[in-house]
Amino acid sequence: QPGASQDEPLAVAHTIVPPHDFQRSLRHRAKERDFVMEQVLSAPASALNNAMSVRYVGEDGVGEGPMRELLAMIAGDLFGPDSFLFTQAPNGTHATIRAYENGNVTNDIPNERMQYMRMAGRLLGLSVTQRQPFGVNLCTGIVKVLLGRSKNVDWRDLRSYDTQLYNTMEAIAKAETQEDLETVAPGITFVCSGMRTDKTEIEGKKDAEPGAVNVTDVPLIEGGENVAVTHKNRLKFVRLYAKKRMFGTVQNEIESLAKGFQEILPLQLSRCLSVGELSALFRGPEKLDIADLKANIVYSDGYHSTSAVIRWFWEIVGEMSFEEQRRLLMFWSGCPIPPLHGFSPKLNSNGEAWAIQKMKAAPTSLPMASTCMYLLRLPPYPNKNTLKERLELALRFGTHGYDQA
């Protein structure tokens, strides 16, 4: 269809094929996601770590482009605002695991939930091995657990989770005397206040609604409600408090997430990564380096860097918001996140250069793309306005799909 991305067939080492002829609708895409999730969990880690490729039944595209689209699509489901597995942390800048609520989501039962978390961990591993960032900013405490460094989780990790709570714990940790401690946090004991638990009985009320939430104080150590926090034991308190606040209601989920991640990226391979480095691999660049992209473009079939259409194109890209630029990258490559290490073909897994080709078509035609080859095809538009209008239309409706035009 005009404006849809397309790909040339590639030899594949591992193929995921949806069970139905695929129609571009939310209903069918939901079935496809469920199928892929089953495949990700059932496939051996070695198969997923090979040169994984994807083919959609009923579409011509096959290879790395559809694979990038598939990973981006599932990442959007897992880490997007409507995810039932992840949610925004209290600080509003990072993602954390959503606490389970009875009856919150269809099929969201504990055993299946653990399988989804393991699948999410595997996909996070694939985002590293396949060099495709998911655009997710995970709390540093979660990243430490994925790296097998849960013992290193402490109050400092609250900075990425809850800034206000971080400031409170910092004041307690840095109190120099008992008097300082009493000033910033008088009379506290070894309990984590305001913890939520899912119970059908709330404080003995037998008629509580199923899935009701019990908010209570949870001891951090045995008899913690009777153990005062002192200057001597304050560091133990802030460490236990931080872990309980971040992981207390999702301990099983984070263990399943780590299990899946480490199946794809074993600890012996990830030990060289710092928390910041792995976080950056998950997140990807947060802006498009237009100069780097422009410097690495290969033009063909009559286009040159000085061609009018090319000059207009780069002007339009420079005027785009980052979200619009993400849609352009999705259309062009199958991934909305800029490449981790830049646009040089030496850094692409298949060695392909990002390219723009002159398309032999009427100036009313929409642009097209061949995502496996990072190839954008632009018709010879008569002016900048026409190019902008046609490009916006393609990016709005054509960022998914691999039908031939």
Side-chain angles (χ1 to χ4, degrees), residues 130-131 292 296 339-354 374:
Q130 299 288 332
R131 295 191 294 180
D292 182 47
N296 284 285
L340 280 169
H341 306 296
F343 292 91
S344 170
K346 297 178 181 179
L347 301 174
N348 285 337
S349 59
N350 59 7
E352 293 282 356
W354 289 68
Y374 302 98

Side-chain angles (χ1 to χ4, degrees), residues 1-6 331 359 365-369 377 390-391 393-401 403-405:
Q1 65 190 39
S5 303
Q6 65 177 11
F331 179 80
M359 180 178 167
S365 301
L366 296 180
M368 298 186 70
R377 297 184 174 103
R390 298 283 89 187
L391 183 60
L393 192 60
L395 299 188
R396 182 177 180 185
F397 297 107
T399 51
H400 297 83
D403 297 333
Q404 294 285 354

